[in-house]
Amino acid sequence: MSFSSLFRKKTVQDILKQVEKNEIDGHSSLGKHLTARDLTAFGIAAIVGAGIFSTIGKASADGGPAVIFLFLFTALACSFAAFAYAEFASMVPVSGSAYTYSYVAFGELIAWVIGWALIMEYAIGNITVAISWSDYFTGLLESGGLHLPQWIQMDYLTASNGYTEATALMQGGKTFANLDAGLQDAYTAWTTSPVIGSFHLVTDIPALFIIVLITALVYRGMKESRNASNLMVVVKLCVILLVIAVGVFYVDTANWDPFAPNGVNGVLKGVSAVFFAYIGFDAISTTAEECKNPQRDLPRGMMWAIIICTILYIAIALVLTGMVKYNSLNVGDPLAFVFDKLDLKWMSGIIAVSAVVAMASVLLVFQMGQPRIWMSMSRDGLLPQKFSRVHPRFKTPSFATIVTGFVVAIPALFLNLTMVTDLCSIGTLFAFVLVCAGVLVLQNKPNIPRGKFKTPYINSKYIIPVLLLAGIAYSFTYNKKNTMDFITNVPQINSPASIVTSLSKTETEEVYKFLVENHKERVFNKTTDLEQILSDFQENEAEYVSVVESLPIDKSLKYETGFALFKHKIPMWIFLTVLVGLAIWAFRQNLSLIPLLGLICCLYMMAELSVWNWIYFFVWLLIGLAIYFGYSRKHSKLNFIKEN
């Protein structure tokens, strides 16, 4: 096979002919039940879930009330991407979503890569939501007096990592009672779990339960899934509006000062959590074949879902940060937490119930999306034919739905929330980047049939280069110090927790003894908690730097330097390099502004994720490429057509 065969493309005409043929003969066709209202409800069901009931707390703690600007930025980026999705969905109204769109724009290899990446959005995203659902569900049971053992309500990695960190902190003088609640639970789960050999049996059973239940519902049919989704959306919207209506009377505007306590960096620190709160609107595009009028209703459903959810997110963020101080919101259940703190326990109970419902609706939408991606890939020969099997009675991709259930359920027992949230975000952002790029690639091709919806054209020839030059000017004038620190790789001092958890027992004792001897008035008889002692010094940045510099430990434990620091900047350097290339491309090709801004915004959010997410994502793509070259390339129907 030639190199060019890797980028063989499907035409829009051929895709539409195949869909028409399927509908005529009834083979592999899905039932058409969805309207614009249903699609909007699916979008809200997918977006309003773990983000608003869980990750919004961490983002608010990092950015303060100014986190609303991050919601606006993320909503804008998603809206740009939604325009691109809507244009493709109108052009190619089939179930493949970004996978099918990439097959048309870039060719088979890129289509496979994006289809493989989408597993990180739908399947791994559902692992995240299942874990969050489990946290709320077990919390609800505990409030009702039913206490499950910790080792059957927590994943293996969280328990293992939490035990290690808790042990290190207690070694540094912190008592068990003073550990964070999450670390206490992890330590308890690890130490009380059954042990088989050296393996600790820690599994998240409630997460497994909800995945099995939702998978069964999705298998049963689209009409049943739609009805369940619509009901759950009504419930959670009523509760969110109740939270806003009640919470606004407890807002203290003094809590909004300072509005951006940690500056721009603090706001952007929550980009992964906030973006995770928005993913899911694109899952609407996987239902294209089940829409009554996809070319009209898909764009409407996406846009309305994003608009409604953005308004809700901003209102909730302002209410939360107004009710309590922003730095107390770093909890897993921020909505219930603020009302519990204000002794409104009846509201906490309502929120806990609605969170269980809300996250179940997210699971429902994502669990629908993944099988339909696999079905489309199977139709093209890139996956075994079983994945395109449609149930004769329920009209759903039956085999693919069952496999999705296993793919989500098994890792949910072992993976932790932070890891899967970030993996889900980077997979989704990568899909968004390619869909936006696909619209740019096809914009000047006259032989492509256009749907009823087309992204408004604004020439970016001069806009993007001018914005790039303005950004460079700002960086070297108003933000010169941070820019030069970034370029010259200036060493960064470690946090108290990082220092303490990296020390051996002997080093911990030496550091404590040194602080007692040299800072007796600040340390003596106050506490033996080394992390707390260093945190007290951290209140004065200059003093903290001076104290850490004087500690009798190796410099590598005090600072992050050299390549260990530079590696975290690699994603941002990739973004900056690509940005220059995009500015040149825009100038030479008169690119459309909206999809180009979507591409830039999504790529920037990818750059804000840690280098480890990029490494895990790269490894994931390598596994996908091995499958493509081992099976998919030679079984592709385009390859069969060429040979015949």
Side-chain angles (χ1 to χ4, degrees):
M1 293 184 188
S2 65
F3 177 78
S4 61
S5 67
L6 295 176
F7 300 97
R8 53 199 175 196
K9 299 176 182 178
K10 293 177 69 176
T11 66
V12 175
Q13 293 91 333
D14 288 341
I15 294 173
L16 296 178
K17 284 179 183 177
Q18 185 59 47
V19 172
E20 186 180 352
K21 182 176 181 298
N22 289 341
E23 291 178 354
I24 291 172
D25 61 21
H27 175 69
S28 298
S29 61
L30 303 175
K32 294 183 178 293
H33 304 289
L34 304 178
T35 64
R37 185 181 64 182
D38 297 322
L39 293 170
T40 303
F42 273 137
I44 296 172
I47 297 172
V48 179
I52 206 164
F53 285 98
S54 181
T55 55
I56 193 174
K58 175 68 165 62
S60 298
D62 290 332
V67 75
I68 64 169
F69 295 118
L70 185 54
F71 280 116
L72 285 171
F73 169 72
T74 308
L76 197 61
C78 288
S79 296
F80 292 148
F83 271 106
Y85 266 94
E87 181 166 339
F88 265 122
S90 180
M91 185 191 311
V92 193
V94 295
S95 291
S97 184
Y99 158 75
T100 300
Y101 308 157
S102 296
Y103 219 143
V104 172
F106 302 110
E108 186 171 282
L109 180 61
I110 304 301
W112 168 267
V113 167
I114 200 63
W116 188 248
L118 283 172
I119 298 174
M120 299 189 80
E121 176 178 358
Y122 296 120
I124 294 183
N126 251 0
I127 295 170
T128 307
V129 180
I131 294 170
S132 294
W133 184 92
S134 173
D135 291 342
Y136 265 95
F137 181 70
T138 53
L140 186 62
L141 292 180
E142 288 179 6
S143 66
L146 180 59
H147 300 279
L148 299 178
Q150 284 293 337
W151 58 272
I152 68 167
Q153 56 176 293
M154 182 176 291
D155 62 273
Y156 182 89
L157 279 180
T158 296
S160 176
N161 295 339
Y163 171 79
T164 302
E165 186 177 349
T167 302
L169 290 173
M170 288 192 289
Q171 181 179 283
K174 190 181 286 290
T175 63
F176 180 80
N178 287 331
L179 291 172
D180 291 338
L183 287 180
Q184 290 183 18
D185 291 343
Y187 186 89
T188 302
W190 190 258
T191 53
T192 60
S193 64
V195 181
I196 303 174
S198 60
F199 179 79
H200 287 252
L201 187 62
V202 182
T203 55
D204 197 337
I205 300 300
L208 176 65
F209 165 76
I210 189 60
I211 292 168
V212 171
L213 183 64
I214 293 296
T215 302
L217 179 60
V218 172
Y219 183 90
R220 186 76 174 75
M222 174 56 74
K223 189 180 292 186
E224 290 77 8
S225 300
R226 177 199 64 188
N227 295 340
S229 173
N230 290 346
L231 178 61
M232 288 188 279
V233 165
V234 170
V235 170
K236 64 183 176 183
L237 285 182
C238 288
V239 171
I240 290 169
L241 293 174
L242 179 64
V243 167
I244 295 170
V246 174
V248 74
F249 291 103
Y250 293 87
V251 168
D252 180 358
T253 54
N255 288 328
W256 290 339
D257 185 23
F259 198 73
N262 299 315
V264 175
N265 290 336
V267 173
L268 292 176
K269 191 175 180 182
V271 68
S272 174
V274 170
F275 178 73
F276 181 76
Y278 273 96
I279 66 173
F281 76 84
D282 59 311
I284 298 172
S285 64
T286 67
T287 66
E289 284 185 47
E290 291 147 289
C291 297
K292 293 179 179 178
N293 189 345
Q295 295 182 315
R296 181 196 67 190
D297 293 342
L298 279 170
R300 291 182 181 180
M302 288 182 189
M303 296 304 175
W304 275 115
I306 291 174
I307 291 169
I308 292 170
C309 293
T310 300
I311 294 171
L312 293 175
Y313 278 149
I314 291 174
I316 284 286
L318 287 174
V319 168
L320 287 182
T321 54
M323 292 174 71
V324 299
K325 202 66 179 173
Y326 72 92
N327 53 13
S328 66
L329 287 170
N330 189 12
V331 293
D333 52 351
L335 270 65
F337 167 79
V338 294
F339 285 103
D340 192 51
K341 193 168 183 178
L342 294 172
D343 204 28
L344 296 173
K345 297 188 183 299
W346 63 274
M347 277 295 295
S348 298
I350 292 174
I351 290 167
V353 172
S354 65
V356 169
V357 173
M359 293 183 192
S361 70
V362 180
L363 279 165
L364 176 65
V365 177
F366 275 30
Q367 209 72 347
M368 286 193 312
Q370 183 60 69
R372 285 154 179 79
I373 299 292
W374 278 341
M375 181 183 72
S376 295
M377 297 173 77
S378 175
R379 285 173 173 176
D380 296 329
L382 303 187
L383 287 177
Q385 192 174 355
K386 282 186 176 181
F387 282 89
S388 59
R389 182 186 299 163
V390 173
H391 195 283
R393 179 183 169 193
F394 301 137
K395 297 297 181 181
T396 57
S398 51
F399 180 80
T401 299
I402 293 171
V403 173
T404 299
F406 279 102
V407 168
V408 175
I410 294 173
L413 298 173
F414 305 104
L415 297 181
N416 69 21
L417 187 61
T418 302
M419 175 182 289
V420 290
T421 299
D422 289 345
L423 285 174
C424 178
S425 293
I426 197 169
T428 306
L429 285 166
F430 184 67
F432 287 7
V433 164
L434 284 186
V435 171
C436 292
V439 171
L440 296 173
V441 168
L442 296 181
Q443 73 172 35
N444 294 322
K445 294 190 176 181
N447 60 335
I448 300 293
R450 304 292 173 179
K452 296 178 182 178
F453 179 86
K454 195 172 189 305
T455 304
Y457 177 78
I458 303 172
N459 193 342
S460 66
K461 181 181 181 73
Y462 299 109
I463 296 175
I464 295 299
V466 168
L467 288 176
L468 177 60
L469 292 174
I472 293 172
Y474 172 82
S475 298
F476 285 96
T477 51
Y478 297 101
N479 199 32
K480 185 175 181 180
K481 183 181 183 304
N482 289 335
T483 301
M484 294 308 299
D485 287 352
F486 177 83
I487 294 173
T488 57
N489 207 39
V490 171
Q492 300 291 315
I493 195 164
N494 285 326
S495 67
S498 296
I499 293 173
V500 173
T501 54
S502 63
L503 299 177
S504 66
K505 186 173 183 180
T506 303
E507 288 170 331
T508 300
E509 293 170 352
E510 289 178 355
V511 168
Y512 180 74
K513 182 180 178 182
F514 173 85
L515 290 172
V516 170
E517 292 174 352
N518 292 274
H519 302 276
K520 188 174 182 179
E521 72 288 352
R522 296 283 300 276
V523 179
F524 190 66
N525 280 343
K526 287 190 175 181
T527 179
T528 58
D529 185 345
L530 187 55
E531 184 198 13
Q532 183 59 54
I533 293 170
L534 291 176
S535 296
D536 290 341
F537 285 113
Q538 197 178 23
E539 293 178 5
N540 184 316
E541 185 177 353
E543 184 180 31
Y544 178 68
V545 171
S546 175
V547 169
V548 171
E549 182 62 41
S550 66
L551 295 178
I553 54 177
D554 190 83
K555 188 176 181 180
S556 63
L557 300 176
K558 305 174 186 177
Y559 291 93
E560 196 169 30
T561 60
F563 184 74
L565 176 62
F566 176 77
K567 68 185 179 185
H568 298 297
K569 300 177 181 179
I570 292 175
M572 186 55 69
W573 279 113
I574 292 173
F575 166 74
L576 294 173
T577 304
V578 173
L579 183 58
V580 173
L582 290 174
I584 296 171
W585 188 26
F587 184 80
R588 296 179 62 182
Q589 298 293 327
N590 298 320
L591 298 180
S592 178
L593 181 64
I594 291 177
L596 184 56
L597 287 175
L599 193 161
I600 291 171
C601 291
C602 293
L603 191 60
Y604 172 77
M605 288 191 283
M606 285 182 70
E608 285 291 336
L609 298 175
S610 77
V611 68
W612 296 113
N613 298 130
W614 284 66
I615 292 172
Y616 297 147
F617 183 56
F618 183 69
V619 170
W620 178 258
L621 291 184
L622 287 180
I623 294 171
L625 288 175
I627 295 173
Y628 174 75
F629 285 105
Y631 176 88
S632 305
R633 190 182 181 191
K634 57 188 176 184
H635 288 86
S636 168
K637 289 188 177 179
L638 288 186
N639 182 52
F640 178 79
I641 291 170
K642 184 177 179 181
E643 289 179 354
N644 289 274

